[in-house]
């Protein structure tokens, strides 16, 4: 394509953008947004899933912008936290999903580091995470997410920790480096120890991976368990269910790791204790699911 055609194309795109945001077009652009906010409790599975995807895309786009701008002002530690707040706001506004949180006082606000571990159910976990996500915290994710357009770009720019679960030696080395970085930068880590989404209606958890617990012990950081109510009644991919409602989140007291040895046996004992406490909390806050 010749230079003249490039210039013409850019001019046409610019003119179109001006047309979209012109006063005459504002009602047509704003109407769908306003209607969705008003009727956020309506719509079927596919429609609400599309809205959820759009909310995630908007938040990820903001995340790319925040990852480039906030470090300039020395606010890198607010990147993930601010993106979480944006996502929480748009999903609550457009899908009518809210949270009741117990134990907010256990989120570290003193600048201290911690390893936050949370149960993993479906794609909506990102929203529930956004409701309690602390400042100065990095996310641990599987390596494949790095290559997802926009979302992967944001996570890469925000210094997310990508683990190669297919290669145990690499994963262990990455976990050890993450623990060292925690100590140096005084940051915390958020990780789903189940490693994958359960998609289960059962009030139970999948087996835990040891990575989160090795990180915590190596960094001498407390583990803060976070439990999201089983919300199979609200969202279920198999039955194509996607409703609105309020979900309970319980943040458990920090579990210290200062005196835990780095041996496999000690790590397993710590893992079993944390998992047991999380299952107990899950069953307590999800007891009324069957009545919904």
């Amino acid at each position: 394509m010749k230079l003249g055609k490039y210039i013409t194309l850019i001019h046409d795109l610019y003119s179109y953008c001006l047309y979209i945001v012109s006063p005459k077009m504002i009602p047509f652009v704003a109407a769908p947004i306003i209607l969705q906010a008003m009727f956020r409790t309506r719509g079927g599975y596919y429609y609400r899933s599309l809205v959820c995807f759009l909310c995630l895309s908007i938040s990820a786009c903001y995340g790319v912008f925040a990852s480039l701008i906030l470090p300039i002002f020395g606010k890198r530690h607010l990147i993930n936290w601010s993106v979480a707040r944006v996502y929480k706001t748009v999903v609550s506004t457009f899908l009518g999903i809210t949270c009741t949180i117990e134990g907010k006082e256990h989120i570290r606000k003193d600048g201290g580091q911690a390893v936050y571990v949370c149960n993993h159910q479906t794609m909506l976990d990102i929203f529930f995470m956004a409701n309690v996500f602390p400042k100065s915290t990095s996310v641990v994710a599987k390596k494949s997410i790095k290559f997802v357009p926009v979302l992967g770009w944001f996570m890469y720019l925000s210094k997310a920790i990508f683990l190669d679960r297919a290669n145990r030696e690499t994963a262990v080395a990455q976990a050890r480096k993450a623990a060292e970085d925690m100590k140096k930068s005084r940051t915390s880590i958020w990780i789903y120890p189940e490693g994958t989404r359960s998609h289960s209606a059962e009030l139970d958890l999948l087996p835990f991976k040891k990575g989160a617990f090795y990180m915590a012990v190596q960094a001498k950081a407390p583990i803060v368990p976070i439990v999201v109510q089983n919300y199979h009644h609200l969202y279920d991919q198999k039955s194509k269910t996607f409703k609105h409602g309020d979900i309970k989140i319980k943040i458990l007291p920090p579990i210290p790791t200062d005196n835990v040895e780095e041996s496999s046996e000690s790590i397993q004992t710590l893992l079993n204790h944390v998992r047991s406490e999380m299952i107990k909390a899950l069953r307590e806050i999800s007891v009324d699911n069957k009545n919904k």
Side-chain angles (χ1 to χ4, degrees), residues 138-202:
S138 296
V139 177
V140 176
K142 57 185 178 181
K143 185 180 178 181
S144 58
I145 293 181
K146 184 191 295 187
F147 306 104
V148 175
V150 186
L151 178 62
W153 304 340
F154 149 61
M155 294 189 71
Y156 176 78
L157 290 170
S158 65
K159 305 297 182 182
I161 301 165
F162 296 101
L163 294 183
D164 184 3
R165 294 174 184 155
N167 188 319
R168 186 180 181 280
E169 290 185 3
T170 301
V172 169
Q174 291 168 333
R176 187 175 294 278
K177 184 179 183 304
E180 293 174 355
D181 291 341
M182 280 183 67
K183 289 188 286 188
K184 291 179 182 178
S185 59
R186 301 292 295 172
T187 57
S188 297
I189 285 178
W190 181 292
I191 187 170
Y192 294 103
E194 292 170 280
T196 189
R197 291 168 287 188
S198 63
H199 293 285
S200 176
E202 300 298 323

Side-chain angles (χ1 to χ4, degrees), residues 115-129:
V115 174
Y116 297 93
V117 295
C118 186
N119 55 321
H120 204 7
Q121 299 181 59
T122 73
M123 68 170 188
L124 281 184
D125 288 336
I126 301 176
F127 166 70
F128 298 116
M129 175 179 72

Side-chain angles (χ1 to χ4, degrees), residues 60 62 75 208 216:
Y62 164 76
K75 302 293 183 181
F208 281 5

Side-chain angles (χ1 to χ4, degrees), residues 3-290:
L3 179 60
K5 292 185 178 180
Y6 274 120
I7 295 174
T8 301
L9 178 60
I10 293 172
H11 177 268
D12 290 344
L13 289 173
Y14 177 70
S15 300
Y16 177 73
C17 290
L18 288 179
Y19 175 71
I20 288 293
V21 298
S22 65
K24 293 181 180 179
M25 292 301 298
I26 287 177
F28 297 97
V29 175
I33 299 174
I34 295 172
L35 288 173
Q36 177 55 37
M38 292 174 59
F39 299 103
R40 59 187 180 275
T41 61
R42 308 289 180 85
Y45 172 82
Y46 292 105
Y47 171 74
R48 290 175 66 81
S49 295
L50 175 60
V51 173
C52 188
F53 173 76
L54 291 175
C55 289
L56 181 60
S57 299
I58 291 169
S59 303
C61 288
Y62 164 76
V64 173
F65 173 79
S67 299
L68 295 172
I69 299 301
L70 290 181
I72 297 175
F73 300 96
K75 302 293 183 181
R76 178 180 292 278
H77 64 289
L78 296 181
I79 294 174
N80 288 326
W81 177 81
S82 65
V83 173
R85 289 297 177 270
V86 169
Y87 189 57
K88 167 193 171 183
T89 301
V90 293
V91 170
S92 296
T93 301
F94 294 116
L95 289 174
I97 303 174
T98 57
C99 296
T100 298
I101 304 168
E102 178 184 348
K104 289 182 180 180
E105 66 274 13
H106 300 312
I107 294 291
R108 304 294 297 271
K109 299 181 178 66
D110 56 359
Q113 59 202 25
V115 174
Y116 297 93
V117 295
C118 186
N119 55 321
H120 204 7
Q121 299 181 59
T122 73
M123 68 170 188
L124 281 184
D125 288 336
I126 301 176
F127 166 70
F128 298 116
M129 175 179 72
N131 280 263
V132 295
F133 197 82
K135 297 178 181 179
S136 302
T137 302
S138 296
V139 177
V140 176
K142 57 185 178 181
K143 185 180 178 181
S144 58
I145 293 181
K146 184 191 295 187
F147 306 104
V148 175
V150 186
L151 178 62
W153 304 340
F154 149 61
M155 294 189 71
Y156 176 78
L157 290 170
S158 65
K159 305 297 182 182
I161 301 165
F162 296 101
L163 294 183
D164 184 3
R165 294 174 184 155
N167 188 319
R168 186 180 181 280
E169 290 185 3
T170 301
V172 169
Q174 291 168 333
R176 187 175 294 278
K177 184 179 183 304
E180 293 174 355
D181 291 341
M182 280 183 67
K183 289 188 286 188
K184 291 179 182 178
S185 59
R186 301 292 295 172
T187 57
S188 297
I189 285 178
W190 181 292
I191 187 170
Y192 294 103
E194 292 170 280
T196 189
R197 291 168 287 188
S198 63
H199 293 285
S200 176
E202 300 298 323
L203 302 185
D204 203 353
L205 301 176
L206 297 175
F208 281 5
K209 310 292 184 183
K210 290 185 177 180
F213 304 93
Y214 273 114
M215 287 184 200
V217 171
Q218 289 165 2
K220 298 300 179 184
I223 293 173
V224 180
I226 298 176
V227 183
V228 178
Q229 170 188 355
N230 184 291
Y231 53 85
H232 189 265
H233 62 284
L234 185 145
Y235 178 84
D236 178 30
Q237 190 173 1
K238 290 183 179 179
S239 64
K240 307 304 178 190
T241 299
F242 198 160
K243 303 177 182 178
H244 66 281
D246 187 79
I247 296 298
K248 299 174 185 174
I249 301 177
K250 186 170 184 178
I251 305 168
L252 305 184
I255 298 172
T257 63
D258 305 77
N259 299 320
V260 179
E261 298 178 358
E262 291 188 28
S263 65
S264 180
E265 295 78 10
S266 298
I267 296 294
Q268 187 64 50
T269 300
L270 175 64
L271 180 156
N272 291 340
H273 173 62
V274 173
R275 186 172 182 273
S276 175
E277 291 298 308
M278 290 179 68
I279 289 176
K280 186 191 303 183
L282 176 66
R283 292 172 179 171
E284 287 174 357
I285 63 178
S286 306
V287 68
D288 59 343
N289 278 10
K290 59 186 178 182

